[in-house]
């Protein structure tokens, strides 16, 4: 058995020891208050980024590029893993969480600039990102460097995913949709690992967001107000 698997199983044994009683009221049903759509990057710890370790609270979805869409025979739709808690579990909040230095956004940027050669599965995922990023690439400031371009497109992609959820008829109109960026590269003010709110219900102007949400105004930042 691979050493990594043995190590993970040892960790799980400790998890089971400390979490056993926490499932007493959750064995038959779940009613998470929020669904998070995060990048599947190994540095993005979907529960721990919120300092959350109680089962049943967060419905977590992950993929490269924190996308909320999937491709079907009849066209693009909101991904079933994102839509399921919103449609069936009374989940009232959807959080789209990008992150600084995102590899998927970097690959999509490179694909739009000069094309990339990727395996079919990765190419398919990029194909769900690049059409929505094309206008963002064209609008980038002329003096921005490559890392700056990537991180601005991270915000731009979060905005596009928020737009998709807000415009889709299958997503209940009562759902609050929020876009954030998780920063572990010292791009935003604050400490590594902090989450910065960049979009609330389609509003992305920092001044307006801070006025509307004063309790979190110190966590509302953007690199790019396009």
């Amino acid at each position: 058995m691979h050493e990594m698997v043995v190590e993970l199983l040892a960790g799980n044994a400790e998890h089971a020891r400390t979490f056993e009683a926490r499932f007493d009221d959750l064995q038959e049903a779940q009613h998470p208050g929020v669904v998070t759509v995060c990048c599947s990057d190994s540095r993005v710890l979907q529960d721990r980024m919120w300092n959350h370790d109680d089962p049943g609270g967060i419905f977590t979805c992950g993929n490269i590029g924190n996308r909320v869409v999937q491709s079907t025979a009849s066209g693009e739709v909101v991904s079933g893993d994102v839509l399921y808690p919103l449609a069936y579990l009374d989940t009232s909040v959807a959080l789209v969480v990008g992150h600084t230095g995102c590899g998927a956004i970097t690959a999509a940027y490179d694909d739009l600039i000069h094309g990339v050669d990727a395996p079919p599965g990765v190419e398919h995922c990029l194909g769900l990102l690049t059409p929505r990023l094309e206008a963002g690439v064209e609008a980038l400031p002329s003096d921005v460097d490559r890392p700056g371009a990537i991180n601005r497109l991270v915000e731009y992609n979060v905005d596009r995913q928020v737009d998709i959820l807000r415009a889709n008829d299958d997503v209940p109109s009562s759902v609050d949709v929020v876009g954030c960026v998780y920063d572990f590269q010292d791009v935003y003010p604050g400490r590594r690992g902090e989450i910065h709110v960049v979009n609330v219900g389609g509003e992305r102007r920092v001044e307006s967001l801070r006025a509307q949400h004063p309790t979190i105004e110190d966590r509302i930042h953007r690199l790019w107000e396009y």
Side-chain angles (χ1 to χ4, degrees):
M1 179 64 69
H2 194 286
E3 180 181 347
M4 188 65 188
V5 178
V6 175
E7 183 179 333
L8 288 171
L9 288 172
N12 172 254
E14 177 62 17
H15 163 80
R17 185 187 69 80
T18 58
F19 271 66
E20 183 175 13
R22 300 192 192 187
F23 291 101
D24 288 348
D25 298 325
L26 297 168
Q27 289 182 298
E28 304 301 327
Q30 61 169 324
H31 298 285
V34 59
V35 53
T36 59
V37 189
C38 300
C39 187
S40 51
D41 189 295
S42 63
R43 298 164 292 183
V44 179
L45 307 176
Q46 289 205 49
D47 283 288
R48 293 299 296 158
M49 69 167 66
W50 312 106
N51 199 32
H52 181 90
D53 60 3
D54 286 326
I58 300 177
F59 194 102
T60 56
C61 305
N63 56 65
I64 59 171
N66 44 272
R67 309 178 316 274
V68 303
V69 295
Q70 68 185 70
S71 181
T72 71
S74 58
E76 289 185 359
V77 298
V78 171
S79 297
D81 51 356
V82 180
L83 187 59
Y84 176 75
L86 301 176
Y88 295 103
L89 302 180
D90 298 322
T91 300
S92 58
V93 180
L95 275 173
V96 178
V97 187
H99 70 91
T100 50
C102 179
I105 300 303
T106 301
Y109 172 74
D110 288 341
D111 194 29
L112 286 166
I113 296 300
H114 51 68
V116 295
D117 184 18
V122 175
E123 185 178 9
H124 172 77
C125 293
L126 292 179
L128 296 172
L129 286 173
T130 52
R132 295 182 172 88
L133 294 182
E134 188 170 4
V137 170
E138 294 174 354
L140 284 167
S142 59
D143 59 347
V144 70
D145 61 10
R146 178 179 170 82
I150 300 305
N151 286 319
R152 282 161 176 77
L153 290 174
V154 165
E155 289 183 349
Y156 190 85
N157 179 54
V158 167
D159 292 336
R160 301 290 74 77
Q161 306 306 316
V162 168
D163 288 346
I164 292 167
L165 291 177
R166 294 183 64 243
N168 191 275
D169 291 337
D170 292 326
V171 176
S173 59
S174 59
V175 171
D176 290 325
V177 184
V178 179
C180 308
V181 176
Y182 181 62
D183 180 22
F184 49 77
Q185 294 186 331
D186 307 322
V187 173
Y188 293 82
R191 294 171 294 193
R192 292 176 186 169
E194 284 192 342
I195 290 171
H196 302 271
V197 176
V198 300
N199 190 314
V200 179
E203 177 60 70
R204 60 177 190 263
R205 294 170 298 175
V206 170
E207 184 176 345
S208 296
L209 288 171
R210 288 177 177 169
Q212 294 169 19
H213 309 282
T215 57
I216 60 164
E217 63 178 342
D218 62 326
R219 303 298 293 277
I220 296 172
H221 301 100
R222 284 192 71 99
L223 302 175
W224 192 20
E225 294 199 42
Y226 53 88

